[in-house]
Amino acid sequence: MKKVSLFLALILALTMALPVSLAEDYTLPLTTTGETLSLSIQENFYAAASYADNLIVYQELEKRTGVPIEWDVVQNYDEVMNIRFASGEKLADIVQLPGWSTNDPVKFAEAGKIIALDELIEQYAPNIKKLMEDLPELAAEMTSYDGHIYFIPQNLYGLNYHAPYSLVIRQDWLDKLELETPKTLDDWYNVLKAFKEKDPNGNGEADEIPFTSVTAGLSWTNAYGYFASGFGLTAPVTGTRYWYDENGKLYDQYQTEEFKEWISWISKLYDEGLIDPAFSRSSGDLQAMHLEDRIGATAFYADDIASWQSVCHANGHDYVQFTILETPPTPEGKPATHVMRQLAGGRYSISTWCENPVLAIQWIDYHYAHPEGQVLMMFGMEGTHWYWDENGVRQWTEYVSNNAEGLSQFNVLRKDGANPAQFTNRTEEFGRMCVPDWIYAQCAPIQANLVNPIPTLPATPDEIDDMSIIDTDLATYTSETVLAFLQGNSDVEEEWDSYIATMKGIGADELLAMKQVQYDRMNGVEAE
């Protein structure tokens, strides 16, 4: 993205103007004095193996760096840490910021809780600095509205690119009914109608759900938003309420006529029983329903789709075959823009209580972005978790790829401390190794049209105060109203003008204007 690159250039110019020396690499171990670092963190995503147990990957990291970690593994992390940040309680040397992207790091810094990392990165973290240069969008995520960097985020690019959230369909159902792979909206309608009416699971009962979605509460657009491309919207429409035109101007997709057309189309599917009447499905529900041979299509993470197919085959349903599909083309027949999942996740900072911030940033730099440390933390240990094949290509060992305990690849790695819940830096190589060849091949056409999402827009405290009520009220109203449209409880044609007027009354235009200011500021665009 050119605009983000301009922004990065501005930030680098500012940091290079600081009175610091050029970054130089460091040697291992980082210390020989036995100096420790404390780390407050949420629990391992594989809960059976706690970080507090000093997992083997972290044992190896300690051998290399010379830095033992004092673990502060916190249950109910956000709730507990919000209290700690609000109090005068001493914080660990390195802390995961509570709330992912909802809390303002500048406020934490002004309150004396965390420190700015700009000069530390410039002088002592050459690998983080290079990563920022290679991924300017990530640098934009890292930089707050005051121009300083207060945290290191998870970098999710590699897996997002190789295993995107995508439409998926039961290929064996298509083959049984002698149907072509759907591409256009009309194709999808006809296929879903056939799934409902022609008994593709062959049990003689009308129990098929042609299309369903992983939803939570009123998250009605999780999967259905991928059809929005067929109406000229940026897909998925969920998560991309605000998008930009060729002139860098943001607009609200939820106020467009194209959005209205998309709602009408999804409502038609709902009315005809072509989409799931339940709006509360979890990923576990979907896997169970696939085992029951009831779902024809959905949208989900490509790596999970591979897992679904493996689970079905392991349970005697070896006929189950999934195909990952591109979003429908635009009304002009052009390939649709497909927005990746958010680039960055959790955020990790150095607290003001840290007595050796240089050691802290070097430790983070080594295991987050150094070529050797990053391999250790994402792929695990050579010989145990991976090996080089005869062609010099990294491959998983049987321990990872065909685990005797039946653990998934991710859980094997996490059991031993790799692919951690913190400081995740997922390279393209890691993303590629996380999906089987058939998934990789099917995702290739999608990758050609993938674009990064708009980074989280950094807001000043005044902007946060001005935006918070509008944002909450607008999101609630939109979710409830659109859900009513989709379920036919409210007529979109009759109520559209009222819907637009109510959003404007809540402050939709004012919110858009504030987001435009933040977007321009992020991209280094001078205010008019």
Side-chain angles (χ1 to χ4, degrees), residues 163-284:
Y165 200 112
S166 313
L167 289 165
V168 58
I169 199 164
R170 282 284 296 274
Q171 184 62 46
D172 54 305
W173 282 19
L174 288 175
D175 294 342
K176 182 175 183 178
L177 300 182
E178 299 181 345
L179 299 170
E180 296 293 327
T181 301
K183 296 180 180 179
T184 67
L185 293 174
D186 286 343
D187 293 341
W188 272 100
Y189 174 79
N190 292 330
V191 163
L192 296 180
K193 194 170 181 64
F195 282 177
K196 176 178 174 59
E197 297 175 350
K198 296 187 177 181
D199 193 27
N201 66 14
N203 66 357
E205 300 179 19
D207 60 349
E208 291 88 353
I209 297 176
F211 195 99
T212 191
S213 173
V214 174
T215 53
L218 298 178
S219 299
W220 33 260
T221 54
N222 264 14
Y224 309 113
Y226 285 84
F227 291 121
S229 58
F231 298 94
L233 297 164
T234 299
V237 74
T238 177
T240 54
R241 174 170 191 154
Y242 302 99
W243 201 243
Y244 54 88
D245 63 19
E246 63 276 7
N247 297 314
K249 296 299 180 184
L250 296 180
Y251 60 95
D252 183 354
Q253 293 203 109
Y254 290 12
Q255 294 193 53
T256 63
E257 284 295 315
E258 291 83 358
F259 188 73
K260 175 184 174 182
E261 293 171 4
W262 168 78
I263 291 174
S264 297
W265 191 77
I266 298 294
S267 181
K268 174 184 176 182
L269 299 187
Y270 182 88
D271 184 59
E272 295 185 19
L274 305 184
I275 63 175
D276 194 346
F279 282 80
S280 58
R281 301 293 190 189
S282 68
S283 58

Side-chain angles (χ1 to χ4, degrees), residues 74-370:
V74 181
Q75 304 296 333
N76 301 317
Y77 191 88
D78 287 349
E79 178 182 349
V80 171
M81 294 304 292
N82 272 323
I83 294 173
R84 289 190 190 178
F85 269 79
S87 71
E89 183 177 348
K90 178 181 178 180
L91 298 176
D93 297 321
I94 302 170
V95 291
Q96 176 185 340
L97 297 184
W100 288 68
S101 62
T102 56
N103 280 321
D104 180 9
V106 178
K107 281 190 173 182
F108 287 149
E110 291 175 345
K113 305 297 183 180
I114 60 175
I115 64 174
L117 305 179
D118 310 53
E119 293 188 21
L120 288 169
I121 292 172
E122 183 68 23
Q123 292 189 79
Y124 305 110
N127 300 290
I128 292 175
K129 181 180 176 182
K130 184 178 186 303
L131 181 63
M132 292 171 62
E133 294 168 350
D134 292 343
L135 277 179
E137 295 88 352
L138 188 67
E141 290 273 3
M142 296 168 65
T143 307
S144 296
Y145 54 81
D146 65 353
H148 290 293
I149 296 170
Y150 297 100
F151 60 85
I152 307 298
Q154 289 178 307
N155 170 25
L156 307 177
Y157 175 79
L159 194 59
N160 288 0
Y161 180 75
H162 285 291
Y165 200 112
S166 313
L167 289 165
V168 58
I169 199 164
R170 282 284 296 274
Q171 184 62 46
D172 54 305
W173 282 19
L174 288 175
D175 294 342
K176 182 175 183 178
L177 300 182
E178 299 181 345
L179 299 170
E180 296 293 327
T181 301
K183 296 180 180 179
T184 67
L185 293 174
D186 286 343
D187 293 341
W188 272 100
Y189 174 79
N190 292 330
V191 163
L192 296 180
K193 194 170 181 64
F195 282 177
K196 176 178 174 59
E197 297 175 350
K198 296 187 177 181
D199 193 27
N201 66 14
N203 66 357
E205 300 179 19
D207 60 349
E208 291 88 353
I209 297 176
F211 195 99
T212 191
S213 173
V214 174
T215 53
L218 298 178
S219 299
W220 33 260
T221 54
N222 264 14
Y224 309 113
Y226 285 84
F227 291 121
S229 58
F231 298 94
L233 297 164
T234 299
V237 74
T238 177
T240 54
R241 174 170 191 154
Y242 302 99
W243 201 243
Y244 54 88
D245 63 19
E246 63 276 7
N247 297 314
K249 296 299 180 184
L250 296 180
Y251 60 95
D252 183 354
Q253 293 203 109
Y254 290 12
Q255 294 193 53
T256 63
E257 284 295 315
E258 291 83 358
F259 188 73
K260 175 184 174 182
E261 293 171 4
W262 168 78
I263 291 174
S264 297
W265 191 77
I266 298 294
S267 181
K268 174 184 176 182
L269 299 187
Y270 182 88
D271 184 59
E272 295 185 19
L274 305 184
I275 63 175
D276 194 346
F279 282 80
S280 58
R281 301 293 190 189
S282 68
S283 58
D285 292 335
L286 264 63
Q287 178 168 292
M289 293 163 74
H290 281 304
L291 283 170
E292 296 169 355
D293 208 14
R294 295 182 57 210
I295 301 174
T298 186
F300 208 57
Y301 304 113
D303 46 321
D304 284 272
I305 293 166
S307 177
W308 288 348
Q309 183 160 302
S310 296
V311 168
C312 287
H313 289 190
N315 284 274
H317 305 302
D318 55 0
Y319 51 85
V320 173
Q321 299 292 329
F322 294 107
T323 296
I324 297 171
L325 301 178
E326 297 177 72
T327 56
T330 68
E332 298 77 26
K334 297 179 181 179
T337 297
H338 187 136
V339 180
M340 281 191 284
R341 293 174 275 171
Q342 199 66 32
L343 176 65
R347 306 177 298 172
Y348 308 91
S349 299
I350 298 176
S351 81
T352 54
W353 285 268
C354 180
E355 295 181 359
N356 193 342
V358 171
L359 180 63
I361 198 67
Q362 287 179 329
W363 183 82
I364 294 171
D365 183 85
Y366 178 75
H367 97 302
Y368 174 76
H370 189 287

